[in-house]
């Protein structure tokens, strides 16, 4: 017998998957809450029990990376630049693999949302990147003139910019490979490697 929390999690996952599929088919702006509800066989009221709005649904869908990050990349020892590289490339690969064409809609959505920022200090992703830029600073590896916060925001904005460029090119190239090459240059400039 499923617990209430398990049923809630399953329903939320069905809503997220239905929204993803509909967005691929129709585009985010052309997908309504009712469409999503019909696709996963729930009432509109049930949708609003799980998500306060379509905007929140989109935002929560992309926060799934934080769960992946916590599971796949626990804080560990290693050179800060290498740990930063792993986190940032994991983010890039996750978005490319999980979101695909939906990411274009997501970025359009957040670019028009006045509440969003490229580097959200509440996100585990930001906190992990900041952890390693702080470590690089403490070890004297971070170039002078950069605070750990500035370096973390620069790196996160770089990855976001790479993903937006990929979207502008209709997801037509291997974003992880290109980001790897460019990120290595940026990390070399930032961390003196």
């Amino acid at each position: 017998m499923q617990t209430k929390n398990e049923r809630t999690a399953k329903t939320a996952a069905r809503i997220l998957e239905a929204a993803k599929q509909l967005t691929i088919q129709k585009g985010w702006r052309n997908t309504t809450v009712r469409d999503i509800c019909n696709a996963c066989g729930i009432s509109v009221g049930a949708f609003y029990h799980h998500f306060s709005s379509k905007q929140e649904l989109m935002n929560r869908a992309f926060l799934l990376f934080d769960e992946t990050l916590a599971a796949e990349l626990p804080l560990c020892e290693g050179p800060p630049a290498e740990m930063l590289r792993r986190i940032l490339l994991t983010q890039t690969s996750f978005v490319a693999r999980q979101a695909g064409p939906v990411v274009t809609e997501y970025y359009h959505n957040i670019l028009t949302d006045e509440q969003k920022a490229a580097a959200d200090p509440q996100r585990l992703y930001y906190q992990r990147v900041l952890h390693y830029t702080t470590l690089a600073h403490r070890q004297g590896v971070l170039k002078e003139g950069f605070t750990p916060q500035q370096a973390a925001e620069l790196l996160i904005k770089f990855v976001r910019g790479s993903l937006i460029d990929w979207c502008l090119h209709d997801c037509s190239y291997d974003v992880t490979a290109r980001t790897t090459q460019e990120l290595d240059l940026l990390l070399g400039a930032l961390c003196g490697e």
Side-chain angles (χ1 to χ4, degrees), residues 70-128:
E72 291 183 20
L73 289 176
L75 289 174
C76 47
E77 298 294 319
E82 182 55 35
M83 300 311 298
L84 286 163
R85 184 179 190 276
R86 284 183 58 207
I87 290 168
L88 296 162
L89 292 176
T90 298
Q91 163 72 356
T92 303
S93 295
F94 173 83
V95 171
R97 187 178 64 251
Q98 295 294 323
V102 178
V103 76
T104 303
E105 298 287 343
Y106 172 69
Y107 283 126
H108 175 77
N109 195 38
I110 63 170
L111 288 170
T112 59
D113 182 355
E114 295 173 8
Q115 303 299 317
K116 286 293 177 192
D120 181 353
Q122 302 304 312
R123 294 216 26 223
L124 179 61
Y125 172 50
Y126 175 87
Q127 293 166 9
R128 290 284 171 87

Side-chain angles (χ1 to χ4, degrees), residues 24-40:
I24 290 169
Q25 294 168 15
K26 300 170 59 168
W28 180 249
R29 289 178 295 275
N30 296 326
T31 299
T32 66
V33 169
R34 184 163 305 286
D35 293 335
I36 296 166
C37 294
N38 289 340
C40 61

